[in-house]
Amino acid sequence: MNAISIITARGGSKRIPGKNKKLFLGKPIICYSIEAALASGLFEEVMVSTDDEEIAEIAKRAGASVPFMRSEAAANDYATTDDVLMEVLEEYEKRGQVFEYMACIYPTAPFVTADKLQAAFRLLIENNASGVMPVVGFSFPPQRGMAVRNGRLQYCFPENAMKRSQDLETMYHDCGQFYFYQVERYLACRGDLKDGYVPVIMPETEVQDIDNLSDWELAEIKYKMMNQKNN
């Protein structure tokens, strides 16, 4: 399979120091992403892009490749995921390696499994898609959201205030776990896919943003629930 898995794991983290190497139920959280990518059998190369030597060593011990360190330009607070992916693809091309498919996997995504990666890749191929993205439905309809204006709550969309939840269109958001791409199309638009992404709809019990320690604890609870269900 001419595919690469790029796990994006810079060293800096303001809200949870050392987030990408912090122990999650006994092992560095980045190891879950590496192990899922390796177990999927989809990738010719499973690599970690990092500017942190300790993360690089953890990644290598887990079986990933770290053929080069991330540049300062792609490791600052303003660098985007696309900046990182472009740097990695360009560096591999300099070394004579070009890939047909790419998965970007985040390092704090313990809910990613080999099965999920395989299913997403099948969707990419079957739909001749440029990209695939896992999403999850909002737990409450955003169309009925409120904002504080002049010290009072006001509906953002008053026309939806009295509508039943089931009468409103289901809206989704990015899970923040992984993406699959057809590399040539990705490079042509730097990730701004004109034909959009094919969705993979995930259950809320297998999605968790991890921005603070409470999120971390909730993610561990959800992960245990997922494992119990799967076993």
Side-chain angles (χ1 to χ4, degrees):
M1 181 71 65
N2 186 19
I4 182 172
S5 170
I6 302 170
I7 298 166
T8 58
R10 76 176 184 133
S13 178
K14 300 285 193 300
R15 290 171 290 194
I16 303 178
K19 177 179 176 179
N20 292 330
K21 53 194 174 187
K22 181 177 169 63
L23 296 185
F24 184 92
L25 295 175
K27 65 183 174 184
I29 194 167
I30 189 175
C31 292
Y32 293 85
S33 298
I34 294 169
E35 290 167 5
L38 292 170
S40 74
L42 294 172
F43 305 106
E44 181 180 325
E45 181 87 326
V46 174
M47 72 87 65
V48 171
S49 170
T50 186
D51 60 327
D52 184 287
E53 293 289 351
E54 188 176 355
I55 290 175
E57 286 306 311
I58 291 169
K60 290 173 186 175
R61 288 197 297 271
S65 169
V66 188
F68 48 85
M69 299 298 285
R70 188 185 301 189
S71 70
E72 288 184 19
N76 64 50
D77 289 342
Y78 301 100
T80 66
T81 297
D82 287 324
D83 292 332
V84 176
L85 298 180
M86 292 293 292
E87 178 178 83
V88 169
L89 292 172
E90 288 167 2
E91 185 61 37
Y92 271 99
E93 187 174 4
K94 290 177 188 174
R95 297 165 182 239
Q97 283 185 277
V98 177
F99 299 94
E100 188 174 359
Y101 303 104
M102 166 179 69
C104 167
I105 306 177
Y106 286 132
T108 52
F111 300 101
V112 175
T113 64
D115 288 345
K116 289 175 182 175
L117 292 171
Q118 291 164 351
F121 183 70
R122 283 196 298 272
L123 280 176
L124 188 77
I125 299 303
E126 290 167 0
N127 290 275
N128 189 26
S130 299
V132 171
M133 178 193 298
V135 295
V136 62
F138 283 94
S139 57
F140 183 86
Q143 301 96 318
R144 289 178 54 192
M146 292 178 279
V148 178
R149 296 169 181 163
N150 299 319
R152 296 291 185 273
L153 288 169
Q154 293 184 19
Y155 282 100
C156 297
F157 308 100
E159 66 275 17
N160 295 321
M162 297 298 110
K163 290 183 179 177
R164 300 183 306 167
S165 297
Q166 58 266 42
D167 294 332
L168 296 169
E169 181 181 25
T170 301
M171 296 180 69
Y172 301 90
H173 64 86
D174 180 1
C175 289
Q177 294 182 356
F178 69 90
Y179 313 94
F180 249 109
Y181 295 104
Q182 204 277 358
V183 170
E184 186 176 358
R185 297 182 200 171
Y186 175 87
L187 289 173
C189 62
R190 196 182 174 90
D192 184 17
L193 305 182
K194 303 308 177 188
D195 57 341
Y197 292 80
V198 172
V200 181
I201 299 174
M202 298 291 186
E204 194 172 354
T205 52
E206 296 179 16
V207 176
Q208 181 62 47
D209 283 338
I210 305 178
D211 292 327
N212 54 53
L213 292 177
S214 294
D215 292 340
W216 191 281
E217 292 170 2
L218 186 54
E220 289 185 325
I221 292 169
K222 287 185 175 183
Y223 182 85
K224 291 176 183 177
M225 289 171 55
M226 183 182 79
N227 269 2
Q228 288 171 357
K229 182 181 75 173
N230 293 340
N231 294 332

